[in-house]
């Protein structure tokens, strides 16, 4: 093959890739909408609501949704169930399905959600990374260097390896950078309507940390959030859903009252408070997909495919 042919072929390939990318995205989005329609029309979503959700608490997990999407989700939820704060997760049922809203990481975009929370009379819990929010720092996976290495690859490294790989890309977890978290002013403006709790200091994969690192990430974040907001910090969320017996013990010893996992399920007074279950919601889900996601079916199938087993456990690695 001569140079001209190679160049022509690679250009055609690049053009075809750039065309295939958006087309594949649209195709995947369409398939997801169709599957969501099937989950709703088949009665599967109704069955999980009647058999599993009942009057328990569904703890929904968002990250950085836009206000309009969240508004549509909460409008749909308001007709279906009762909003409760996360602190009510172990209170006895009142005959109606209940839902608690949580958001992880403390993204700066969460500040725009305040009018939506007020409109729907929802008091969400936002789990903050105590050494990222309120400072000009970025969450490690939002740094361009992290994209270059690959998020999934980084998540599977030991903590030392991950930090070294990120340092080689110009990222220092305790160095100033582009701020991606909520500012002090934003948190102060939100605190009347939002419950701020802890999500470690820097968001490592705890199960890939040494004993000392894991312990410090958990217990220091509790003190730092309490000091930052001048209020008790009693609830924790495991970053990325990775935790083991060791983390549960550290969370308990640090004085937290509950910890939220990424394991699928609904909660009541019988749920282990250090292994609260959740339903992860796609931040950008259409209302149709959101309604289907509440059943937990899509998430269950994803976890099953990735080795999480039949009990809805987050596939640990
Ligand atoms: Zn997180």
């Amino acid at each position: 093959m001569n140079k001209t042919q190679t160049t022509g072929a690679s250009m055609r390939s690049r053009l075809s890739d750039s065309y295939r990318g958006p087309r594949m995205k649209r195709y995947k989005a369409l398939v997801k909408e169709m599957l969501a329609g099937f989950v709703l029309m088949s009665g599967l979503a109704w069955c999980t609501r009647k058999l599993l959700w009942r009057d328990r608490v569904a703890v929904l997990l968002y990250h950085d949704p836009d206000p309009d999407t969240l508004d549509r989700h909460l409008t749909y939820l308001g007709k279906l169930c009762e909003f409760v704060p996360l602190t009510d997760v172990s209170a006895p049922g009142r005959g109606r399905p209940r839902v608690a809203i949580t958001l992880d990481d403390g993204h700066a975009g969460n500040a725009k959600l305040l009018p939506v929370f007020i409109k729907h009379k929802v008091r969400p819990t936002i789990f903050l990374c105590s050494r990222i929010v309120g400072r000009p720092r970025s969450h490690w996976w939002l740094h361009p260097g992290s994209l270059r290495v690959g998020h999934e690859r980084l998540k599977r490294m030991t903590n030392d390896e991950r930090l070294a790989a990120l340092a080689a890309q110009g990222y220092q977890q305790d160095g100033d950078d582009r701020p991606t978290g909520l500012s002090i002013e934003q948190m102060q403006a939100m605190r009347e309507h939002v419950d701020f709790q802890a999500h470690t200091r820097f968001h490592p994969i705890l199960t890939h940390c040494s004993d000392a690192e894991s312990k410090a990430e958990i217990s220091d974040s509790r003190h730092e959030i309490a000091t930052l907001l001048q209020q008790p910090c009693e609830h924790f969320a495991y970053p990325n859903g990775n935790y083991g017996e060791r983390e549960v013990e550290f969370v308990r010893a640090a004085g937290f009252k509950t910890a939220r996992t990424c394991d699928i399920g609904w909660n009541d007074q019988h749920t282990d408070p250090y292994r609260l279950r959740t339903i992860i919601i796609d931040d950008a889900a259409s209302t149709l997909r959101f309604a289907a996601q509440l059943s937990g079916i899509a998430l269950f199938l994803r976890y099953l495919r990735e080795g999480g087993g039949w009990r809805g456990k987050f596939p640990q690695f």
Side-chain angles (χ1 to χ4, degrees):
M1 196 180 283
N2 65 35
K3 198 176 175 206
T4 314
Q5 282 172 318
T6 309
T7 310
S10 65
M11 189 174 287
R12 271 197 303 281
S13 161
R14 275 203 302 277
L15 281 172
S16 141
D17 280 352
S18 64
Y19 175 65
R20 203 182 296 139
R23 198 170 63 167
M24 185 57 81
K25 254 188 179 171
R26 281 200 300 276
Y27 172 71
K28 280 185 175 171
L30 183 65
V31 170
K32 284 179 182 174
E33 290 292 319
M34 285 167 64
L35 288 173
F38 170 75
V39 168
L40 293 171
M41 299 292 286
S42 65
L44 282 169
W46 183 87
C47 285
T48 55
R49 199 157 71 233
K50 293 293 170 192
L51 298 173
L52 299 171
W53 192 352
R54 303 201 301 259
D55 62 352
R56 294 170 170 160
V57 180
V59 177
L60 306 191
L61 163 52
Y62 287 91
H63 291 88
D64 193 14
D66 73 65
D68 290 344
T69 305
L70 187 70
D71 184 31
R72 284 194 290 273
H73 290 187
L74 297 188
T75 301
Y76 178 84
L77 276 175
K79 296 172 192 155
L80 199 70
C81 59
E82 192 181 324
F83 292 112
V84 293
L86 185 69
T87 43
D88 267 18
V89 82
S90 58
R94 296 192 278 265
R96 281 196 76 200
R98 291 170 291 162
V99 68
I101 305 295
T102 66
L103 299 98
D104 279 10
D105 313 326
H107 293 273
N110 290 175
K112 293 193 195 126
L113 305 174
L114 183 58
V116 182
F117 299 142
I118 294 171
K119 173 183 169 186
H120 292 277
K121 299 187 175 62
V122 169
R123 185 173 177 79
T125 293
I126 299 184
F127 290 105
L128 304 167
C129 299
S130 60
R131 298 258 182 114
I132 295 177
V133 295
R135 304 171 194 237
R137 289 184 182 168
S138 69
H139 296 86
W140 64 263
W141 63 94
L142 297 178
H143 186 270
S146 169
L147 264 180
R148 287 192 289 271
V149 182
H151 294 156
E152 292 307 312
R153 214 178 126 208
L154 286 161
K155 283 182 195 172
R156 281 164 172 77
M157 295 176 180
T158 65
N159 203 43
D160 286 346
E161 287 168 350
R162 183 180 60 84
L163 292 177
L166 287 168
Q169 297 290 331
Y171 176 82
Q172 298 289 340
Q173 67 175 6
D174 55 356
D176 287 354
D177 203 316
R178 181 178 64 95
T180 57
L182 288 163
S183 68
I184 300 278
E185 295 72 27
Q186 287 171 325
M187 289 184 282
Q188 292 298 352
M190 296 170 83
R191 61 185 298 174
E192 190 186 334
H193 303 278
V194 172
D195 175 35
F196 288 111
Q197 301 292 336
H199 195 41
T200 69
R201 302 179 305 182
F202 294 108
H203 206 287
I205 302 297
L206 287 173
T207 48
H208 293 181
C209 291
S210 67
D211 289 352
E213 282 168 334
S214 179
K215 189 176 183 181
E217 283 286 343
I218 292 168
S219 62
D220 289 4
S221 70
R222 177 165 187 247
H223 299 303
E224 289 168 3
I225 294 298
T227 305
L228 187 68
L229 291 152
Q230 292 295 298
Q231 62 188 37
C233 177
E234 298 175 324
H235 305 278
F236 183 79
Y238 302 102
N240 201 54
N242 291 93
Y243 73 100
E245 286 299 326
R246 179 185 71 168
E247 280 67 36
V248 171
E249 274 318 304
F250 287 156
V251 167
R252 200 194 309 266
F256 286 105
K257 289 183 176 169
T258 72
R260 204 218 56 227
T261 67
C262 288
D263 303 337
I264 304 167
W266 295 262
N267 304 277
D268 59 20
Q269 64 269 41
H270 306 297
T271 309
D272 180 342
Y274 296 105
R275 291 179 177 82
L276 293 183
R277 291 179 168 260
T278 193
I279 309 278
I280 301 177
I281 301 297
D282 179 350
D283 283 345
S286 67
T287 309
L288 179 80
R289 276 190 61 216
F290 172 67
Q293 283 178 353
L294 289 174
S295 71
I297 292 171
L299 196 59
F300 174 77
L301 293 175
R302 195 189 106 200
Y303 283 6
L304 198 61
R305 205 170 55 238
E306 294 172 6
W310 289 95
R311 303 184 69 182
K313 297 275 284 180
F314 175 81
Q316 302 286 328
F317 45 76

